[in-house]
């Protein structure tokens, strides 16, 4: 997937670029709005990640110009200043999603996947890992072709883990993605939820698709291909 | 002295007292002066009349003289006038029938020589007149009380006889009584007028103060830009209002400064936090799984997230303080949200007994993310501060044009002194501020700000002992008439 990333803060840009590349994205990066705008109009991207506060044309102006020109490329805004205001203006201008700093790169990846899916139809709605198939549109999970009944939270959690098999997620990360920003972080809700999912999808006790990483969190078992 | 706590009453009473004592004083003095003048006039007349008794007369002439006195004193016959004439050897020449025996003529002494003429010049020393006619001697005029009245008595001594006239003071007394009555009636009326006037005047003065009070009452966090209009205020209050307005200005400035400061601080913190978090996250994936390094990175990441959460809440709160919490309003189905969260209660606290009564289709216009935050905070608290083997009850219903969500849970009692403070920033039920119960103490404060930004309210309800209840009130979405909503939505 080809993504344009416009951000002036070098250190943020570094880890975001690294993170996106690890997830298999091809990232075009630029550190100012004017260049960003030129690139956005000249190339066909799958998604654009725009920081609102950049030198030159700011993120909102770029977004506005793109939409006025009839360019419907999915846009995710990164906001830091007066986040609510910017968020609202951005959404009204036609942004597809927003992410407030500081954010997890995993979250950005999830959002990019989500907006791309939303705009490009069914292309990536099916996640298949071993015997487990997860349909994002129908919100259905099957294990060895047997339907597994999952609650909303369980489904979201499984989907989040399955998207990056082998990648470690901390409890906080999971909590934020599945439950939202301000849910009381020091609870065992994640563990309980994982236990329930395991009971539903794991073949036998002791060998789980969702691995615990001691002292850190969880990851979906990476299949040796 | 509670009654005198009123400035208005005090002013009125004070002016009435001042005016009253002045009036009474003036009335007293003028009453006495009038009395004195009347008596002096009487004395003068008495003197004139006494001088007319220069010749000794026969009985009938004395009677005529007595009668003429009535005319002379110009009083009606009700004023008794009595005379007594005596020859030098003690023989009573005439005595009125009403002459009061206890009139003490001795007290009239000493007689003084009556100076009818100016002192005779020296060359006229041997004038036959001065030698022949000895000047009569007048007594002092005194007021004497007898059994039958009060008398003004005067006497004159001629060479061969002396005459005393006693005029009753009843007449003067009657006149003075009339004057006194006039005073007695007019003074209270005047006092009432003064009282009323002072009351009214102070009332109109206080009007300015009341305007000021009303203006001050409107000064809230959201109304700091208000100023008291100067308009047609009295000069005396001008300064007060000006000073007050200046104070408001300073207040507004420092408040804005404070809230801008926390907004700026929160903003400035975000970039380093984002970098910290990003780098931690990246390194976390690179180090060996389950290694000590990975574990400590993970806990560092958690702390960074906690910090981010606080920064985010502070920013929201400072926006709310500045009245700038803007909402991305969409239609939010509270019933769905709550049902979704019931799953969390089951996950988080399966031991709690949960009772719900959630009416379906409770829709409001609001910011979904923020409302989720409010409900999560309330439910989170209901779990955190619950008792072992406690219960939670969630009621959601519509009433008139508001939607109410009440979350009740069994808990320790919140001390009465803390009830007002649960919405305070950084307030936590746990005074030791230990981390046993997690949280920043910003949640409820922010939840209430969010509710208010939605034109709703979040309140701590009065409950029986052993439970805690919070109610979120939000304006209900106007229920559309039949069919309209589906057409509009499609």
């Amino acid at each position: 997937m080809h993504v344009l990333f416009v951000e002036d803060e070098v250190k943020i840009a570094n880890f975001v670029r690294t993170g996106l590349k690890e997830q298999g994205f091809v990232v075009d990066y630029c550190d100012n709005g004017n260049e960003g705008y030129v690139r956005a109009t000249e190339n066909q991207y799958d998604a654009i990640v725009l920081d609102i506060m950049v030198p030159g044309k700011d993120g909102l102006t770029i977004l506005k110009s793109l939409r006025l020109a009839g360019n419907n490329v999915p846009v995710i805004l990164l906001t830091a200043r007066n986040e609510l205001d910017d968020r609202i203006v951005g959404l009204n201008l036609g942004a597809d999603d927003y992410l407030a700093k500081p954010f997890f790169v995993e979250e950005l990846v999830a959002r990019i996947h989500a907006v791309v899916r939303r705009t490009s139809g069914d292309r990536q709605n099916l996640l298949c890992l071993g015997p487990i198939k997860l349909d994002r549109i129908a919100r259905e999970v099957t294990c060895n072709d047997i339907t597994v009944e999952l609650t909303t939270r369980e489904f979201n959690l499984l989907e989040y883990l399955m998207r990056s098999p082998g990648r470690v997620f901390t409890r906080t990360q999971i909590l934020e993605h599945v439950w939202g920003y301000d849910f009381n972080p020091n609870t065992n809700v994640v563990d309980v939820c994982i236990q329930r999912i395991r009971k539903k999808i794991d073949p036998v006790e002791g060998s789980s698709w969702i691995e615990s990483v001691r002292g850190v969190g969880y990851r979906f078992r990476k299949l040796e291909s | 002295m509670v009654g005198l706590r009123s400035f208005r009453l005090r002013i009125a009473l004070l002016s009435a007292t001042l005016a009253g004592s002045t009036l009474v004083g003036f009335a007293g003095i003028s009453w006495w002066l009038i009395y004195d003048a009347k008596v002096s006039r009487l004395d003068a007349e008495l003197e004139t009349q006494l001088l007319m008794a220069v010749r000794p007369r026969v009985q009938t002439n004395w009677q005529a003289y007595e009668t003429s006195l009535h005319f002379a004193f110009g009083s009606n016959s009700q004023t008794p006038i009595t005379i007594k004439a005596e020859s030098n050897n003690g023989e009573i020449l005439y005595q009125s029938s009403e002459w009061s025996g206890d009139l003490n003529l001795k007290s009239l002494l000493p007689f003084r020589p009556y100076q009818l003429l100016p002192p005779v010049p020296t060359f006229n020393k041997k004038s036959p007149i001065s030698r022949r006619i000895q000047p009569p001697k007048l007594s002092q005029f005194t007021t004497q009380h007898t059994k039958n009245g009060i008398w003004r008595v005067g006497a004159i001594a001629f060479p061969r006889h002396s005459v005393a006239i006693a005029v009753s003071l009843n007449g003067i007394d009657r006149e003075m009584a009339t004057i006194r009555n006039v005073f007695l009636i007019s003074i209270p009326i005047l006092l009432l007028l003064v009282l009323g006037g002072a009351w009214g005047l102070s009332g109109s003065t206080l009007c300015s103060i009341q305007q000021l009070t009303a203006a001050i009452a409107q000064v809230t966090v959201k109304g700091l830009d208000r100023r008291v209009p100067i308009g047609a205020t009295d000069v005396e209050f001008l300064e007060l209002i000006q000073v007050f307005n200046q104070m408001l200005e300073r207040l507004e400035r420092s408040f804005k400064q404070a809230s801008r400061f926390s907004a700026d601080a929160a903003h400035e913190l975000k970039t380093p936090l984002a970098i910290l978090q990003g780098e931690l996250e990246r390194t976390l994936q690179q180090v060996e799984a389950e290694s000590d390094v990975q574990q400590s990175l993970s806990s560092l990441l958690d702390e960074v997230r906690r910090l981010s959460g606080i920064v985010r809440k502070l920013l929201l709160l400072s926006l709310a303080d500045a009245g700038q919490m803007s909402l991305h309003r969409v239609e939010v189905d509270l019933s769905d949200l709550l049902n979704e969260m019931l799953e969390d209660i089951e996950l988080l606290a399966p031991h709690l007994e949960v009772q719900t009564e959630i009416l379906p289709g409770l829709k409001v216009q609001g910011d979904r993310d923020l409302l989720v935050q409010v409900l999560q905070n309330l439910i989170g608290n209901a779990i955190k501060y619950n008792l072992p083997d406690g219960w939670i009850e969630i009621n959601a219903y519509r009433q008139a044009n508001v939607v109410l969500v009440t979350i009740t849970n069994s808990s320790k009692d919140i001390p009465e002194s803390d009830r007002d403070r649960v919405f305070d920033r950084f307030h936590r039920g746990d005074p030791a501020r230990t981390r046993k119960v997690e949280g920043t103490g910003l949640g409820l404060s922010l939840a209430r700000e969010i509710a208010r930004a939605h034109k709703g309210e979040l309140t701590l309800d009065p409950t029986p002992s052993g439970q805690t209840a919070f109610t979120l009130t939000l304006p209900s979405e106007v229920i559309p008439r039949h069919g309209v909503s589906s057409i509009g939505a499609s």
Side-chain angles (χ1 to χ4, degrees):
Chain A
M1 236 192 292
H2 201 188
V3 175
L4 174 65
F5 179 41
V6 185
E7 162 72 64
D8 63 322
E9 190 76 43
V10 182
K11 288 180 177 171
I12 293 182
N14 280 343
F15 69 75
V16 171
R17 282 165 72 190
T18 318
L20 290 180
K21 280 173 185 163
E22 278 172 9
Q23 299 285 317
F25 287 87
V26 178
V27 182
D28 271 10
Y29 164 71
C30 57
D31 64 0
N32 72 79
N34 294 335
E35 193 193 337
Y37 180 65
V38 174
R39 289 203 191 187
T41 46
E42 282 176 356
N43 302 313
Q44 191 66 45
Y45 291 102
D46 292 306
I48 298 178
V49 179
L50 270 180
D51 184 23
I52 286 188
M53 300 280 283
V54 283
K57 271 178 187 264
D58 67 78
L60 290 177
T61 315
I62 296 175
L63 173 65
K64 203 170 163 184
S65 314
L66 285 176
R67 293 296 184 246
L68 277 176
N71 190 336
N72 284 323
V73 59
V75 171
I76 294 176
L77 292 173
L78 299 182
T79 66
R81 182 164 191 80
N82 288 357
E83 60 186 50
L84 278 171
D85 275 346
D86 285 349
R87 187 187 96 196
I88 290 161
V89 173
L91 290 175
N92 288 339
L93 283 176
D96 296 86
D97 207 346
Y98 70 94
L99 206 52
K101 289 179 187 173
F103 53 86
F104 288 113
V105 175
E106 279 311 310
E107 189 60 34
L108 179 61
V109 171
R111 302 285 180 107
I112 294 174
H113 279 302
V115 294
V116 169
R117 263 203 319 279
R118 213 186 298 151
T119 47
S120 65
D122 288 359
R123 216 160 40 144
Q124 286 192 324
N125 67 334
L126 213 58
L127 275 173
C128 294
L129 291 167
I132 299 168
K133 288 192 178 64
L134 184 142
D135 187 334
R136 284 162 162 156
I137 304 293
R139 297 185 72 80
E140 257 180 21
V141 176
T142 55
C143 185
N144 294 318
D145 293 329
I146 301 163
T147 306
V148 180
E149 292 292 337
L150 292 179
T151 65
T152 317
R153 304 275 194 234
E154 287 165 1
F155 180 89
N156 291 343
L157 204 168
L158 184 62
E159 192 239 340
Y160 190 52
L161 293 183
M162 279 181 75
R163 202 159 44 208
S164 318
R167 190 176 180 89
V168 183
F169 293 92
T170 67
R171 288 182 178 78
T172 316
Q173 261 175 306
I174 296 170
L175 198 65
E176 276 186 21
H177 179 81
V178 179
W179 279 271
Y181 277 123
D182 288 295
F183 205 55
N184 187 1
N186 201 30
T187 59
N188 57 353
V189 64
V190 176
D191 306 284
V192 178
C193 202
I194 296 268
Q195 294 309 323
R196 293 185 174 210
I197 300 171
R198 279 177 173 166
K199 271 185 202 156
K200 290 177 184 177
I201 62 167
D202 285 348
V204 280
E205 200 80 21
S207 79
S208 176
W209 290 107
I210 301 170
E211 297 174 331
S212 304
V213 181
R214 189 165 46 85
V216 183
Y218 298 95
R219 67 180 170 201
F220 201 88
R221 195 200 299 171
K222 194 165 189 171
L223 297 164
E224 308 299 329
S225 51
Chain B
M1 296 301 275
V2 181
L4 289 185
R5 290 282 299 277
S6 159
F7 170 75
R8 206 176 166 189
L9 188 64
R10 226 162 45 225
I11 283 283
L13 284 181
L14 187 69
S15 12
T17 315
L18 275 179
S21 46
T22 314
L23 277 175
V24 168
F26 270 113
I29 289 170
S30 52
W31 188 88
W32 187 80
L33 284 176
I34 291 171
Y35 181 80
D36 199 51
K38 281 184 182 292
V39 171
S40 300
R41 212 170 62 214
L42 188 71
D43 286 353
E45 189 60 34
L46 212 54
E47 196 174 308
T48 318
Q49 293 305 320
L50 281 171
L51 286 171
M52 286 170 73
V54 66
R55 276 186 302 122
R57 312 152 196 246
V58 292
Q59 183 82 11
T60 47
N61 280 359
W62 282 116
Q63 268 172 2
Y65 174 69
E66 188 185 4
T67 323
S68 74
L69 285 181
H70 281 291
F71 294 105
F73 284 102
S75 57
N76 51 35
S77 52
Q78 280 159 358
T79 309
I81 300 171
T82 56
I83 58 170
K84 183 179 182 178
E86 220 174 37
S87 70
N88 274 358
N89 49 21
E91 181 195 351
I92 292 174
L93 297 174
Y94 181 77
Q95 182 171 342
S96 304
S97 51
E98 299 99 348
W99 180 265
S100 179
D102 20 318
L103 276 179
N104 183 7
L105 285 182
K106 290 267 173 13
S107 70
L108 300 178
L109 297 171
F111 284 57
R112 58 190 160 87
Y114 180 68
Q115 292 288 331
L116 191 60
L117 300 167
V120 186
T122 41
F123 60 88
N124 241 356
K125 218 175 188 175
K126 292 179 178 176
S127 156
I129 301 168
S130 61
R131 209 180 298 155
R132 226 177 343 124
I133 305 169
Q134 277 189 338
K137 287 176 185 167
L138 266 176
S139 74
Q140 278 186 337
F141 296 155
T142 58
T143 303
Q144 291 191 17
H145 297 254
T146 65
K147 273 182 289 196
N148 42 8
I150 304 167
W151 306 84
R152 191 68 182 170
V153 190
I156 193 164
F158 296 104
R160 277 180 290 174
H161 67 288
S162 56
V163 177
I165 303 178
V167 180
S168 170
L169 287 176
N170 285 355
I172 290 179
D173 282 349
R174 261 198 306 279
E175 282 170 37
M176 292 320 290
T178 314
I179 290 171
R180 196 187 59 225
N181 288 342
V182 167
F183 281 158
L184 280 182
I185 291 163
S186 58
I187 286 177
I189 289 173
L190 277 173
L191 279 185
L192 279 179
L193 280 177
V194 168
L195 199 72
W199 180 261
L201 201 67
S202 55
S204 75
T205 308
L206 288 174
C207 216
S208 310
I209 304 251
Q210 268 158 9
Q211 278 175 4
L212 203 61
T213 311
I216 294 171
Q218 280 171 340
V219 176
T220 57
V221 166
K222 302 265 153 57
L224 276 179
D225 55 338
R226 280 186 175 275
R227 295 292 177 270
V228 184
I230 287 181
T233 320
D234 297 342
V235 207
E236 289 79 2
F237 289 108
L238 219 58
E239 204 185 338
L240 175 66
I241 291 176
Q242 279 166 352
V243 169
F244 179 74
N245 280 344
Q246 281 164 10
M247 188 190 76
L248 271 185
E249 217 170 285
R250 282 199 304 274
L251 199 63
E252 189 188 2
R253 212 181 311 131
S254 54
F255 184 82
K256 275 191 175 156
Q257 227 164 28
S259 83
R260 199 181 321 124
F261 172 78
S262 47
D264 287 351
H267 169 62
E268 291 303 324
L269 283 170
K270 280 188 163 184
T271 306
L273 275 174
I275 295 167
L276 201 56
Q277 184 184 315
E279 293 295 341
L280 280 173
E281 191 197 0
R282 196 160 61 102
T283 326
L284 187 77
Q285 305 300 336
Q286 289 168 350
V287 298
E288 192 191 330
E290 301 198 346
S291 63
D292 288 347
V293 179
Q294 196 182 41
Q295 293 187 17
S296 60
L297 284 176
S298 153
S299 69
L300 283 178
L301 198 57
D302 283 354
E303 291 303 313
V304 169
R305 282 317 289 171
R306 188 207 302 280
L307 203 53
S308 308
I310 296 173
V311 165
R312 211 180 85 80
K313 284 174 188 165
L314 280 178
L315 182 61
L316 273 175
L317 279 172
S318 65
L319 286 175
D321 285 346
Q324 287 171 356
M325 192 191 263
S326 38
L327 308 170
H328 183 236
R329 285 180 190 271
V330 290
E331 187 184 274
V332 181
D333 191 325
L334 286 181
S335 313
D336 282 358
L337 278 187
L338 283 169
N339 284 319
E340 211 171 283
M341 286 174 195
L342 288 179
E343 191 189 331
D344 300 334
I345 302 180
E346 206 202 326
L347 285 173
L348 281 167
H351 57 283
L352 294 177
E353 189 189 323
V354 182
Q355 279 189 359
T356 57
E357 203 171 309
I358 301 170
L359 229 66
L362 296 174
K363 288 179 184 158
V364 297
Q365 283 288 328
D367 193 304
R368 192 187 160 86
D369 289 354
L370 295 179
L371 290 178
V372 165
Q373 197 173 319
V374 173
L375 292 174
Q376 277 187 343
N377 181 273
L378 292 178
I379 289 177
N381 281 343
I383 295 170
K384 265 193 282 182
Y385 297 104
N386 218 311
L387 303 173
D389 302 320
W391 49 267
I392 295 180
E393 193 182 316
I394 301 176
N395 288 305
Y397 52 100
R398 188 181 276 116
Q399 199 177 72
N401 39 19
V402 291
V403 170
L404 294 113
V405 179
T406 303
I407 297 175
T408 317
N409 60 282
S410 59
S411 68
K412 282 186 219 159
D413 288 332
I414 300 175
E416 202 57 42
S417 56
D418 274 8
R419 288 185 73 90
D420 293 339
R421 297 179 49 224
V422 294
F423 292 106
D424 285 0
R425 286 166 201 187
F426 291 112
H427 172 78
R428 290 161 50 150
D430 180 5
R433 293 181 72 91
T434 59
R435 287 227 180 128
K436 250 187 241 162
V437 174
E438 282 296 328
T440 55
L442 286 174
L444 270 179
S445 167
L446 186 55
R448 185 162 69 172
E449 293 296 349
I450 292 171
R452 287 181 176 170
H454 282 84
K455 305 236 181 310
E457 187 56 276
L458 178 65
T459 50
L460 173 62
D461 300 340
T463 43
S465 175
Q467 45 182 286
T468 308
F470 285 93
T471 292
L472 172 69
T473 313
L474 290 171
S476 165
E477 190 176 64
V478 181
I479 305 161
R481 289 202 195 103
H482 241 23
V484 175
S485 76
S486 55
I487 293 166
S490 59

